[in-house]
Amino acid sequence: MVTIGDVARTAGVSRSTASYALSGKRAISEDVRRRVEDAVRELGYSPNAGARALATSRTRTIGLLAQFYEDEFAPAMLQYILGVSDTARELGYDILLVTESDGRSALRRITSTRMVDGLVLLNVAENDERLAVLRAAAQPGALVGRPADCSGVDVFDLDFEEAGRLMVDHLHELGHRELLLVSQPEHVVERGGAYVWRLQNAAIERARMRGIRLHPTFVPAHQPEVGRALAELLDAHPSATGLLVNNEAAAAALPTVLHERDLSAPTNLSVVGRYSDEFARTFSLPYSSIESAPDRLGSMAVRALVRRIEGQPGHDEPHVVRYLSPELVDRGSTASPRHS
Amino acid sequence: MVTIGDVARTAGVSRSTASYALSGKRAISEDVRRRVEDAVRELGYSPNAGARALATSRTRTIGLLAQFYEDEFAPAMLQYILGVSDTARELGYDILLVTESDGRSALRRITSTRMVDGLVLLNVAENDERLAVLRAAAQPGALVGRPADCSGVDVFDLDFEEAGRLMVDHLHELGHRELLLVSQPEHVVERGGAYVWRLQNAAIERARMRGIRLHPTFVPAHQPEVGRALAELLDAHPSATGLLVNNEAAAAALPTVLHERDLSAPTNLSVVGRYSDEFARTFSLPYSSIESAPDRLGSMAVRALVRRIEGQPGHDEPHVVRYLSPELVDRGSTASPRHS
DNA sequence: CTGAAAGCGCTTACAG
DNA sequence: CTGAAAGCGCTTACAG
């Protein structure tokens, strides 16, 4: 293994000079700088990450905690991971990916051993068990998803309340007066998936305000149960003219369900989902949707985290809680209800 | 930060004794061992990963190189990642996830800085550019996907040739004499996605041998092009009675396409895909398929890699190339063709 | 069974 | 502008 000592010898300087020449942390004569760079190239030198981490207390690695639950739709999670990973790399960080089901012990392991400079937690629940561990850790953390207690961390989430209102208002303006709302399965709620009830409660409240009948339901996240549940729902409420879908698996299953019943959007039913454009393209979903922006949220979390990692130790910025304003992407699946 | 020095002082022993008591690498008196363990608990000590890596030249981290191409179906990739991640953790390793589009420079970076003890490459192409970098690295590598040159690495892949033969034979036995084969888009082939042509060539060869007419096609991996291409294909060959699908996006799109044409499997058409059971459940695909076993392949790659990382330096095992025998999972989508 | 010491490969005050 | 030295927190021969 070629070390900085080898580089120094080849360049005819001391190790400290070689180090400074590479880091640029002090003035170096042009001549020496060139000799060091030549030596680096000639020997194919790369600094040893472990040694550097030991000397600087920085690993330039971010821990990414993802959780894959049986009752959620895995493909939707992937996009958050990629959003985080791409931005981290752009900022010069690598990603330590942790997918263990026991997030607390995983978090304890990678923070206490100082494998990472900071943490991004995905899919954060209302009372997320991982947060106590994160707050006790020496490294800063950023969340995607809003917990009850946001203290000590930076938090990024879609504004699900506003999303619920936006969905209802959009269909209200078109003249709809009876709507169905399909949420994630109840397990997700029990586990503390706050985005489910935040969107739902806001939609219910807004519907009441607008004089709209809204029927909320929880629908499974796996086939074939999803399809059956959707079919039953449509049967139970034949007079409903609009469908709001806050459940990726249900959105993915919907085209088949509608087709089987000879329904199409927006002719027979107006449909608004809540998922990303990437998701829509992957699954060919023709429904207008609230953009969930997983890449943007992941990216925002990483940027905030890196700012905190690299900020001056004394000068602590206050923690932030940022909600992304929902935007409706029009894919033509809504219209005024047919006169019946 | 609490160090092993603090532990030693608290336990009233030397640092080396504390270290040995924790590693168990030499005999330690019962009394000392207990005092050290108590001190660890009391102080909440965890070894610093960077320092340990520097001292041992081991990071207990595996680099995972994933590539996400526009023309492939991202959700299918996720399962390989989870297979690798879960097995790595089981064996005591963490995962450094790299998703950069420039795999070569990523590989160079994480190997030359010694961030990882070994590498797993996913989605390996016929003449994969990353392999030269991997072979030049000090760390061992394991591949999922078979390149032209397998030297110097351990290779794991589904036996796609056998998969092609199995698909054809299965339908031949049921009495089919004209089949359609849907492959990944041609881009994948141009990029060196050998599994596409390996399955296809073997299927063509076997069909010829059995006296079957086989129509091979490349189909896009994104909607709505996939659906259109499938529809055209069915139109162009109305007499075909069986459909082989080596393209996840096409498989996911197929239910809608068949439904729109009032076709169903196996009544009007026998269908065999090539994807994992997990994939089938996520997308509710009712078609029998060759199990692609992403979790098993990922797991095998990691196990081989760890064996090589932890093996005695002198005693080099020969490298392996292992093909997983394809198995057909029967989901009832094939039958004898209707008499027409 | 235990300890003192060297060494892993960096970075960064300290001194000139 | 440059160098000698200390130190980051471990592990592991070496010595007893």
Side-chain angles (χ1 to χ4, degrees):
Chain A
M1 175 171 211
V2 26
T3 74
I4 198 159
D6 300 323
V7 170
R9 198 173 326 110
T10 304
V13 297
S14 72
R15 298 194 308 154
S16 56
T17 298
S19 177
Y20 282 120
L22 293 174
S23 69
K25 286 192 182 169
R26 77 178 182 193
I28 293 283
S29 73
E30 182 52 30
D31 174 51
V32 163
R33 203 186 45 67
R34 243 212 6 271
R35 265 154 49 210
V36 170
E37 282 171 3
D38 287 349
V40 165
R41 239 187 316 276
E42 182 188 332
L43 302 175
Y45 167 75
S46 304
N48 179 293
R52 175 173 278 180
L54 183 57
T56 61
S57 304
R58 286 280 163 82
T59 62
R60 298 203 74 85
T61 299
I62 288 171
L64 174 56
L65 272 90
Q67 300 187 303
F68 289 87
Y69 292 111
E70 261 304 307
D71 55 9
E72 280 176 335
F73 200 58
M77 181 64 108
L78 179 60
Q79 305 176 50
Y80 290 91
I81 295 179
L82 293 177
V84 168
S85 171
D86 291 346
T87 301
R89 188 81 285 281
E90 189 186 322
L91 300 177
Y93 285 75
D94 275 293
I95 290 293
L96 198 75
L97 175 70
V98 175
T99 60
E100 297 173 63
S101 54
D102 185 353
R104 298 200 315 171
S105 82
L107 200 46
R108 223 173 274 128
R109 173 167 46 82
I110 67 174
T111 56
S112 69
T113 58
R114 311 274 170 151
M115 297 182 81
V116 298
D117 294 340
L119 288 305
V120 172
L121 271 58
L122 297 182
N123 210 351
V124 174
E126 179 76 356
N127 293 297
D128 201 300
E129 292 191 317
R130 300 172 297 178
L131 290 183
V133 181
L134 180 58
R135 291 202 184 89
Q139 298 94 332
L143 315 183
V144 176
R146 173 160 68 99
D149 176 3
C150 291
S151 64
V153 290
D154 293 310
V155 178
F156 301 89
D157 204 3
L158 185 67
D159 187 339
F160 281 93
E161 271 126 6
E162 188 56 29
R165 289 189 284 266
L166 189 53
M167 286 170 141
V168 170
D169 280 349
H170 176 69
L171 293 184
H172 176 260
E173 278 162 29
L174 289 169
H176 295 263
R177 294 299 177 260
E178 183 173 1
L179 305 176
L180 303 171
L181 168 59
V182 168
S183 293
Q184 297 277 37
E186 225 157 350
H187 289 125
V188 178
V189 172
E190 285 157 15
R191 197 172 59 227
Y195 67 99
V196 177
W197 71 72
R198 270 197 238 119
L199 187 148
Q200 178 168 304
N201 290 347
I204 290 173
E205 171 60 26
R206 180 56 58 103
R208 181 181 312 135
M209 194 177 125
R210 299 276 188 237
I212 288 179
R213 294 184 60 194
L214 179 78
H215 309 282
T217 5
F218 301 106
V219 157
H222 274 289
Q223 286 281 22
E225 293 82 3
V226 193
R228 272 205 292 274
L230 288 173
E232 283 168 19
L233 182 65
L234 294 174
D235 282 344
H237 302 282
S239 54
T241 58
L243 180 61
L244 311 179
V245 188
N246 186 26
N247 174 325
E248 287 95 347
L254 192 57
T256 303
V257 172
L258 293 186
H259 204 274
E260 279 171 6
R261 311 172 74 74
D262 265 324
L263 298 174
S264 80
T267 315
N268 313 289
L269 195 68
S270 284
V271 178
V272 182
R274 193 273 313 151
Y275 43 75
S276 72
D277 189 58
E278 175 71 25
F279 190 86
R281 280 187 286 122
T282 301
F283 295 97
S284 180
L285 300 184
Y287 315 120
S288 300
S289 73
I290 303 287
E291 171 63 44
S292 59
D295 42 355
R296 267 189 75 195
L297 285 166
S299 177
M300 287 164 73
V302 170
R303 285 178 202 284
L305 185 64
V306 168
R307 217 172 302 127
R308 214 166 272 288
I309 290 169
E310 298 181 350
Q312 291 89 316
H315 196 66
D316 286 9
E317 299 281 328
H319 288 280
V320 304
V321 178
R322 267 197 70 184
Y323 303 126
L324 206 57
S325 287
E327 285 180 29
L328 185 67
V329 179
D330 187 353
R331 296 192 185 85
S333 64
T334 62
S336 293
R338 282 213 292 203
H339 213 66
S340 56
Chain B
M1 174 172 214
V2 28
T3 74
I4 198 159
D6 301 323
V7 171
R9 197 172 328 108
T10 303
V13 298
S14 71
R15 299 194 308 152
S16 57
T17 297
S19 177
Y20 282 120
L22 292 174
S23 70
K25 287 193 181 169
R26 79 177 180 193
I28 293 284
S29 73
E30 181 54 27
D31 173 52
V32 164
R33 201 184 48 65
R34 241 211 10 270
R35 266 154 48 209
V36 169
E37 282 170 3
D38 288 348
V40 165
R41 238 187 316 275
E42 183 189 331
L43 302 174
Y45 167 74
S46 303
N48 179 294
R52 177 173 275 180
L54 183 56
T56 62
S57 305
R58 286 281 163 81
T59 62
R60 297 202 73 85
T61 299
I62 288 172
L64 174 56
L65 273 91
Q67 301 187 301
F68 290 86
Y69 292 111
E70 261 305 305
D71 56 8
E72 280 176 336
F73 200 59
M77 181 64 108
L78 179 60
Q79 305 176 49
Y80 290 92
I81 295 178
L82 292 178
V84 168
S85 171
D86 289 346
T87 301
R89 187 82 285 280
E90 189 186 322
L91 300 177
Y93 284 76
D94 275 294
I95 290 294
L96 198 75
L97 175 69
V98 175
T99 60
E100 296 174 62
S101 54
D102 184 353
R104 297 200 314 171
S105 81
L107 201 46
R108 223 174 275 128
R109 173 167 47 82
I110 67 174
T111 56
S112 68
T113 58
R114 311 275 170 153
M115 297 183 81
V116 297
D117 294 340
L119 288 305
V120 172
L121 271 58
L122 298 182
N123 211 351
V124 174
E126 179 77 355
N127 294 296
D128 201 301
E129 291 191 317
R130 300 173 296 179
L131 290 182
V133 181
L134 181 57
R135 291 201 183 91
Q139 298 93 333
L143 316 183
V144 176
R146 174 161 66 100
D149 176 2
C150 291
S151 64
V153 289
D154 293 311
V155 178
F156 301 89
D157 204 3
L158 184 68
D159 187 338
F160 281 92
E161 271 127 5
E162 188 57 27
R165 290 188 284 266
L166 188 53
M167 286 170 140
V168 170
D169 280 349
H170 176 69
L171 292 185
H172 176 260
E173 277 162 27
L174 289 169
H176 294 263
R177 295 299 176 261
E178 184 173 0
L179 304 176
L180 303 172
L181 169 59
V182 168
S183 293
Q184 297 277 38
E186 224 156 351
H187 290 126
V188 178
V189 172
E190 284 157 15
R191 198 173 59 228
Y195 68 98
V196 177
W197 70 72
R198 270 196 238 118
L199 187 147
Q200 178 168 304
N201 290 348
I204 290 173
E205 171 60 26
R206 180 55 59 102
R208 182 182 310 132
M209 195 178 125
R210 300 276 189 236
I212 289 179
R213 293 182 61 193
L214 178 78
H215 309 282
T217 6
F218 301 106
V219 158
H222 275 288
Q223 286 281 23
E225 294 82 2
V226 192
R228 273 205 291 275
L230 288 173
E232 282 169 21
L233 183 65
L234 294 173
D235 282 343
H237 303 282
S239 54
T241 58
L243 180 61
L244 311 179
V245 187
N246 185 27
N247 175 326
E248 286 95 348
L254 193 57
T256 303
V257 172
L258 293 186
H259 203 274
E260 279 171 6
R261 311 173 73 75
D262 265 326
L263 298 175
S264 81
T267 314
N268 312 290
L269 194 68
S270 284
V271 178
V272 183
R274 192 273 313 151
Y275 44 74
S276 72
D277 188 56
E278 175 70 25
F279 189 87
R281 280 187 288 122
T282 300
F283 296 95
S284 179
L285 300 184
Y287 315 119
S288 300
S289 73
I290 302 287
E291 171 62 43
S292 58
D295 43 355
R296 267 190 75 196
L297 286 166
S299 178
M300 288 165 71
V302 170
R303 285 178 202 284
L305 185 64
V306 169
R307 218 172 301 128
R308 212 166 274 286
I309 290 170
E310 298 181 350
Q312 290 89 315
H315 195 65
D316 287 8
E317 299 281 327
H319 287 281
V320 304
V321 179
R322 268 197 69 184
Y323 302 127
L324 206 58
S325 287
E327 285 179 27
L328 186 67
V329 178
D330 187 354
R331 296 191 184 85
S333 63
T334 62
S336 292
R338 283 213 293 204
H339 214 67
S340 56

